[in-house]
Amino acid sequence: MKQFAALIAALDQTTSTTKKKEALMRYFREAPEADRIWTIALFTHRRPRRSVNTTLLRAWAGELAGIPLWMVEECWHIAGDMSECLAALLPPGDGQCTLSLAECMDEIGSWKSLEPETVREAVVNIWMGMSRHERFVFNKLITGGFRVGVSQQLLVQSLAKLLELEDAVVALRLSGNWRPQTTSWRELLLDERRDDARLYPFYLAYPLEQDLAQLGQPEDWYAEWKWDGIRGQLVSRGGQVHLWSRGEELISAQFPELTQHEALAGLNAVVDGEILAWSEDKPMPFQVLQSRLGRKQVSASTMKKAPVVMLAYDLLEWEGEDIRHKPHHERRALLEDLLRSADLPMLKLSPLVSFESWQELKTLHTQSREQMAEGFMLKQRNATYQTGRRKGSWWKWKTDPYTVDAVMIYAQRGHGRRAGLYTDFTFAVYDAQRNLVPFTKAYSGLSDDEFSAINRWIKDHTIERFGPVCSVEAQLVFEIAFEGIGESKRHKSGVAVRFPRMVRWRRDKTVQEINTLDDLRKMIGAS
Amino acid sequence: MLISFTERGFYCAQGDFYIDPWKPVPRAVITHAHADHSYRGHGHYLAHHISGPVMRLRLGADISLETLEYGEKRYINGVELSLHPAGHIPGSAQVRVAYKDEVWVISGDYKTEDDGLCTPFEPVRCTHFVTESTFGLPLFRWRPQEEIFSEMLQWIGGLAAEGRNAFIHAYSLGKAQRLIRALHRHGVPILVHGSVRNTNKALLEAGLDIPNPPTVSAQQHIAPGTVIIAPASASESNWTKRFEPFGEGAASGWMALRGTRRWMNAERGFALSDHADWDGLRAAVLATGATNVFVTHGYAALFSRFLTEVHGLNAQVVRTSFTGESADMREEETS
């Protein structure tokens, strides 16, 4: 663990990608094989499920530290990270624990079938043999919430450089279903045989920030509606079909209609597209699709209420050949042929939007919401299919968000990065009787200077405190932007918004000028 | 009660004076010279003699100021008043106020670790104790300062090897001198921001024995591995340009949390505070023998609940305008 913990510390202490890469390469040169495999697994989100109940962990840590449970809970909230919180609360350890990362992971894996008392003994033993930083890393492993400042891309680049392979080859080999417990370094990275289920890394677009004219000639670009569903990759190889999410999780079981069809198994191709709830030849709202997500099994009634299709927009592999290097227009032609001849109701072509000029496209863009789309995807006709998020050939051009002016009524101390400061705010609008009704929380979108100024203001305008939350005088007005709005029975206001954030602190406005609940309700009608 | 909590600050009616008031009053006793304890506009000030020159620097040379030594007594209308070391920054004091059978100690800001710079904190027995709680959570446990300094030296050495300087954010009163003292002993070349230099001058004038590193001059060549000590607010100005390339570090108790390290955007955070940590706060409270504890700025609600439930004390929260060590280091000079 010491070696792995040192790697995490090195990655944590620098923002330079060069230094992160150096640290990773050094680690992959020096660490034992089983540890290297586990490290790749953890950095690519292949962590085992949580094996210890975290309530128990907090209780054990509290007992060891001689602190009541309520205090542990408060500390957790303030630190914003349970692993860090518990590592800090525990009494000092002796640093004698010599378990390797792989040995730790094996140990953790064995806990599932054990009695809590036995697990407690094992956890306490390890805790007391570790430094504070090792404990932090260990806690991340047992709580299953492992995140480090290493992008998939950085990991791939480091391994590729070390092994003298191309980035794309490494990315492909790391993708898909493999288990760190049973995979060797050779099988994972050096074996050229490809597992049939393996997916290609997704090509992701950046938001369009420049003017359309800067993209060049309109005839060099495709425009497609940007669908409000989830990205998927349908892999049909060797008579088997697998469906992957953008997070590289296998979601076949959640969408039987996209995977359990003989004709799909015969496609022998890899298709990139958007999964949407679909009815009467048009998309249904995202909330409908949501009922299909995150399930192990999907019931017949859910499938009936939320039928899905995939709108295909790219072809990555065709008849066993990786065609990502071909220009987009060639891939598109092959995709169109393939779908035409297959003629499958659940696998549709995402249509191109034809346009002669950028001006025309701008006009069409204003119709996005009527099309049930979030805007356009712009893709260069000659572009290859690339790996990861890249600028240049693909752009997402989203519709402008909805915005309203609302007043801050509660402030909550942030946690994690912003512990000690008020950063999470609750906003209200007026109802018909001019009462303030909270409708959303938001915590991002302001500059550090604005946060500082608002924190000073809060100190002098607090009405009441309850734990980390305080109510403040309803004076500060903010412009709140969000991507979507729907009805909600769970919220007092009766509306729920998606991706809310503060776009501006409206120092020029008073609380009398904010929007109303009625304004929000009208937006539901329009969306 | 001998001391009441008013909207101007802590007030002793019997002696007719305030302690660390935040609105103008005729007579103020000041625990230490940080801005959130030592406000402008009072008629008369009483403070420790080391605080004197810094207060004159910050509040004006013409303030009416009287100074005391630690332990020296004053009698005001029968009230016995004295100052005792708080260990927070040079000149920081706990104010002891005694009358009949009530003994109050208003501790201002304090730390229990001996930093080698200030007169170390001394517990003072009392019946009523007013304590801060900036880091009043068991999350905060400081490591010995020598360990932190040795990590800092290692970091500076690494930067020097890359041909870079080290830019360290620190409050100009207290933290800056603590860093200077530690780094100076290891022969590290140091340059300071003007506000640190001025503070040093005032402290030297008060008789404190501290190294006095220079500010940078316009044409000066700066050798790699130089440490620049400046308040965080300076890092947003053009002033920093001449020190490039440099690595940025911050010295603050908040650096104990991974999250706040990121928020402050420092390359390296060093958990070094002039406030007591969890163990320090508890030890300090218990050592006073006071059964009535008043908890001010920081995690006041949680700390006072803990004192009540676990230690059986009569603890309560008192609202003040003190800020302690701000998690936002750009709020300079409030600690």
Side-chain angles (χ1 to χ4, degrees):
Chain A
M1 266 304 279
K2 289 194 192 324
Q3 221 170 359
F4 183 66
L7 170 67
I8 300 298
L11 295 172
D12 211 29
Q13 277 173 10
T14 179
T15 48
S16 142
T17 46
T18 317
K19 285 199 174 158
K20 285 188 181 186
K21 242 187 258 181
E22 282 167 11
L24 282 166
M25 287 172 63
R26 201 177 325 119
Y27 175 82
F28 283 121
R29 265 195 296 268
E30 293 167 1
E33 176 175 357
D35 282 15
R36 281 181 268 148
I37 292 285
W38 265 112
T39 302
I40 295 173
L42 293 165
F43 286 4
T44 53
H45 314 295
R46 283 174 183 78
R47 46 172 190 260
R49 280 180 187 282
R50 180 181 292 165
S51 51
V52 194
N53 178 318
T54 55
T55 316
L56 286 177
L57 282 178
R58 290 196 294 280
W60 299 340
E63 285 162 22
L64 282 173
I67 296 165
L69 192 59
W70 62 262
M71 185 57 117
V72 179
E73 305 277 345
E74 294 284 357
C75 287
W76 170 32
H77 180 83
I78 287 157
D81 181 312
M82 187 160 54
S83 301
E84 186 185 359
C85 168
L86 300 186
L89 294 182
L90 291 166
D94 61 12
Q96 299 298 309
C97 174
T98 53
L99 290 179
S100 72
L101 171 64
E103 285 165 346
C104 258
M105 296 311 295
D106 284 345
E107 171 85 23
I108 294 166
S110 73
W111 292 345
K112 247 194 137 56
S113 49
L114 301 179
E115 290 299 311
E117 257 323 292
T118 320
V119 178
R120 180 186 197 272
E121 209 171 301
V123 170
V124 170
N125 230 328
I126 293 177
W127 269 343
M128 296 317 290
M130 284 182 165
S131 70
R132 175 171 166 173
H133 175 67
E134 284 174 86
R135 280 173 184 166
F136 163 67
V137 176
F138 172 72
N139 290 346
K140 286 279 175 197
L141 300 177
I142 54 180
T143 54
F146 201 83
R147 271 194 186 177
V148 276
V150 174
S151 65
Q152 194 106 339
Q153 213 167 334
L154 199 68
L155 175 70
V156 165
Q157 287 168 356
S158 309
L159 285 169
K161 195 161 172 205
L162 186 75
L163 301 169
E164 296 175 359
L165 290 169
E166 277 178 48
D167 290 1
V169 171
V170 172
L172 191 59
R173 288 183 187 171
L174 294 189
S175 70
N177 244 358
W178 55 271
R179 297 183 66 234
Q181 293 90 338
T182 54
T183 308
S184 73
W185 182 258
R186 167 160 293 283
E187 283 165 338
L188 181 66
L189 285 157
L190 307 175
D191 189 351
E192 289 171 18
R193 277 172 309 154
R194 294 218 322 254
D195 185 334
D196 283 344
R198 274 185 182 169
L199 80 156
Y200 292 98
F202 284 91
Y203 180 15
L204 305 171
Y206 268 99
L208 183 72
E209 276 151 7
Q210 70 271 48
D211 196 63
L212 286 174
Q214 287 175 4
L215 295 179
Q217 298 305 315
E219 56 268 29
D220 294 338
W221 291 83
Y222 287 132
E224 297 164 27
W225 294 112
K226 185 182 184 313
W227 304 109
D228 188 12
I230 64 164
R231 186 90 177 263
Q233 195 176 118
L234 190 78
V235 178
S236 163
R237 272 191 211 112
Q240 291 201 345
V241 184
H242 294 91
L243 186 64
W244 295 95
S245 74
R246 205 191 81 172
E248 299 197 354
E249 279 178 56
L250 209 48
I251 49 171
S252 309
Q254 289 168 49
F255 300 103
E257 56 269 71
L258 291 176
T259 48
Q260 293 172 10
H261 195 286
E262 235 170 272
L264 285 167
L267 275 184
N268 198 23
V270 176
V271 175
D272 183 11
E274 194 86 0
I275 302 164
L276 291 164
W278 190 270
S279 155
E280 293 170 13
D281 227 29
K282 63 173 205 268
M284 299 165 81
F286 185 80
Q287 287 88 328
V288 179
L289 181 65
Q290 224 156 15
S291 66
R292 299 286 302 265
L293 304 180
R295 292 165 187 266
K296 278 206 176 116
Q297 294 285 324
V298 49
S299 70
S301 73
T302 310
M303 282 174 67
K304 206 167 167 193
K305 270 185 240 158
V308 297
V309 301
M310 181 185 239
L311 289 191
Y313 38 66
D314 216 323
L315 189 65
L316 314 186
E317 184 180 293
W318 183 62
E319 297 188 341
E321 190 198 344
D322 177 358
I323 59 165
R324 292 175 300 158
H325 60 281
K326 287 185 193 287
H328 196 156
H329 63 89
E330 283 183 36
R331 301 198 308 274
R332 176 90 197 176
L334 287 170
L335 176 69
E336 288 177 5
D337 282 349
L338 180 76
L339 295 186
R340 201 175 307 124
S341 60
D343 189 26
L344 293 164
M346 77 302 265
L347 191 60
K348 297 175 181 298
L349 187 68
S350 177
L352 294 177
V353 178
S354 70
F355 63 102
E356 298 291 322
S357 67
W358 293 126
Q359 193 49 50
E360 186 186 352
L361 195 65
K362 271 186 198 161
T363 313
L364 289 165
H365 190 255
T366 60
Q367 300 166 13
S368 301
R369 290 218 162 97
E370 287 114 81
Q371 296 287 333
M372 304 288 287
E374 294 182 289
F376 282 131
M377 289 299 304
L378 302 177
K379 298 176 179 173
Q380 210 163 21
R381 284 174 58 101
N382 283 322
T384 59
Y385 189 93
Q386 299 173 42
T387 297
R389 200 177 290 283
R390 306 246 169 190
K391 288 195 177 175
S393 309
W394 281 21
W395 297 101
K396 53 181 172 190
W397 178 21
K398 297 205 357 173
T399 48
D400 292 335
Y402 299 95
T403 61
V404 292
D405 291 328
V407 68
M408 183 208 294
I409 55 170
Y410 297 110
Q412 183 169 356
R413 277 201 201 236
H415 40 245
R417 203 174 82 91
R418 295 150 159 195
L421 290 169
Y422 287 103
T423 54
D424 299 11
F425 306 136
T426 302
F427 296 96
V429 289
Y430 281 124
D431 68 8
Q433 289 78 42
R434 298 296 275 182
N435 295 318
L436 287 170
V437 189
F439 82 101
T440 188
K441 276 200 199 189
Y443 44 85
S444 67
L446 298 180
S447 70
D448 290 0
D449 286 329
E450 286 172 317
F451 272 124
S452 301
I454 291 165
N455 269 268
R456 284 193 294 274
W457 182 90
I458 289 171
K459 231 174 53 195
D460 297 332
H461 296 85
T462 299
I463 302 170
E464 233 185 317
R465 275 168 224 266
F466 4 86
V469 182
C470 66
S471 58
V472 297
E473 291 163 21
Q475 286 182 18
L476 299 193
V477 177
F478 293 82
E479 185 177 331
I480 308 294
F482 45 92
E483 294 304 319
I485 181 164
E487 285 185 41
S488 161
K489 290 198 184 79
R490 285 187 309 144
H491 294 80
K492 198 173 155 194
S493 61
V495 298
V497 298
R498 286 178 69 199
F499 302 126
R501 68 245 179 214
M502 297 170 262
V503 281
R504 241 182 303 273
W505 179 8
R506 297 299 304 255
R507 298 176 201 237
D508 55 324
K509 289 209 170 180
T510 67
V511 63
Q512 278 75 34
E513 299 170 80
I514 62 171
N515 283 89
T516 64
L517 200 51
D518 203 40
D519 297 335
L520 283 169
R521 292 226 176 86
K522 281 183 193 140
M523 289 175 178
I524 302 179
S527 76
Chain B
M1 289 202 305
L2 180 56
I3 303 287
S4 51
F5 306 113
T6 75
E7 55 163 21
R8 299 183 171 269
F10 304 132
Y11 179 57
C12 175
Q14 178 65 28
D16 190 25
F17 58 84
Y18 288 81
I19 297 136
D20 288 356
W22 47 85
K23 286 184 178 159
V25 301
R27 288 197 288 169
V29 181
I30 302 297
T31 59
H32 65 289
H34 276 151
D36 59 326
H37 292 261
S38 170
Y39 280 82
R40 254 171 228 287
H42 305 312
H44 181 75
Y45 293 83
L46 181 67
H48 186 262
H49 92 266
I50 291 180
S51 293
V54 185
M55 285 170 63
R56 287 193 198 280
L57 171 71
R58 295 180 164 206
L59 305 176
D62 57 345
I63 55 169
S64 160
L65 171 71
E66 185 188 350
T67 62
L68 288 178
E69 295 299 325
Y70 292 127
E72 190 183 342
K73 286 179 180 147
R74 273 280 178 287
Y75 293 91
I76 307 168
N77 194 26
V79 177
E80 185 182 283
L81 178 115
S82 54
L83 304 181
H84 303 268
H88 172 55
I89 58 166
S92 66
Q94 309 178 69
V95 179
R96 180 182 181 276
V97 183
Y99 182 73
K100 294 188 178 163
D101 52 0
E102 274 186 53
V103 181
W104 284 67
V105 171
I106 292 104
S107 55
D109 289 339
Y110 65 91
K111 74 168 174 291
T112 48
E113 183 185 15
D114 179 2
D115 65 4
L117 174 72
C118 339
T119 311
F121 175 88
E122 278 173 22
V124 181
R125 301 287 295 180
C126 56
T127 57
H128 297 73
F129 186 57
V130 180
T131 179
E132 60 142 319
S133 61
T134 309
F135 294 108
L137 290 179
L139 284 175
F140 301 103
R141 285 204 179 90
W142 312 144
R143 289 155 58 213
Q145 65 172 4
E146 289 315 320
E147 284 182 26
I148 307 283
F149 288 137
S150 88
E151 279 175 18
M152 196 178 278
L153 286 162
Q154 218 176 357
W155 171 69
I156 294 165
L159 289 173
E162 294 169 15
R164 295 203 284 163
N165 297 312
F167 196 106
I168 306 180
H169 303 191
Y171 288 128
S172 19
L173 172 57
K175 193 70 62 61
Q177 290 74 30
R178 194 171 166 195
L179 294 177
I180 291 167
R181 182 180 168 275
L183 299 176
H184 181 81
R185 274 188 301 164
H186 290 89
V188 177
I190 303 171
L191 293 172
V192 299
H193 186 261
S195 68
V196 177
R197 175 84 179 175
N198 290 339
T199 307
N200 285 348
K201 228 161 76 185
L203 289 169
L204 284 163
E205 194 188 309
L208 205 67
D209 178 23
I210 50 168
N212 187 17
T215 50
V216 71
S217 62
Q219 21 349 45
Q220 187 173 350
H221 169 75
I222 298 160
T226 299
V227 173
I228 300 98
I229 294 178
S233 51
S235 75
E236 284 165 12
S237 71
N238 276 332
W239 182 76
T240 61
K241 284 250 178 334
R242 68 190 82 183
F243 305 113
E244 283 172 356
F246 58 76
E248 274 187 281
S252 159
W254 290 104
M255 293 299 164
L257 289 186
R258 202 162 161 260
T260 40
R261 278 206 296 278
R262 297 213 185 136
W263 157 259
M264 293 197 217
N265 246 331
E267 205 175 296
R268 273 301 290 274
F270 299 96
L272 190 76
S273 181
D274 286 326
H275 294 264
D277 68 357
W278 171 252
D279 294 329
L281 286 169
R282 282 196 306 161
V285 168
L286 297 177
T288 62
T291 45
N292 301 294
V293 181
F294 303 90
V295 186
T296 63
H297 56 302
Y299 292 103
L302 299 176
F303 188 48
S304 77
R305 179 174 170 195
F306 187 89
L307 292 176
T308 307
E309 288 187 12
V310 176
H311 294 296
L313 298 173
N314 176 21
Q316 53 180 284
V317 177
V318 179
R319 233 181 121 180
T320 65
S321 272
F322 310 140
T323 52
E325 181 163 346
S326 174
D328 183 353
M329 280 186 80
R330 290 164 311 156
E331 278 186 27
E332 165 61 349
E333 303 303 73
T334 59
S335 142

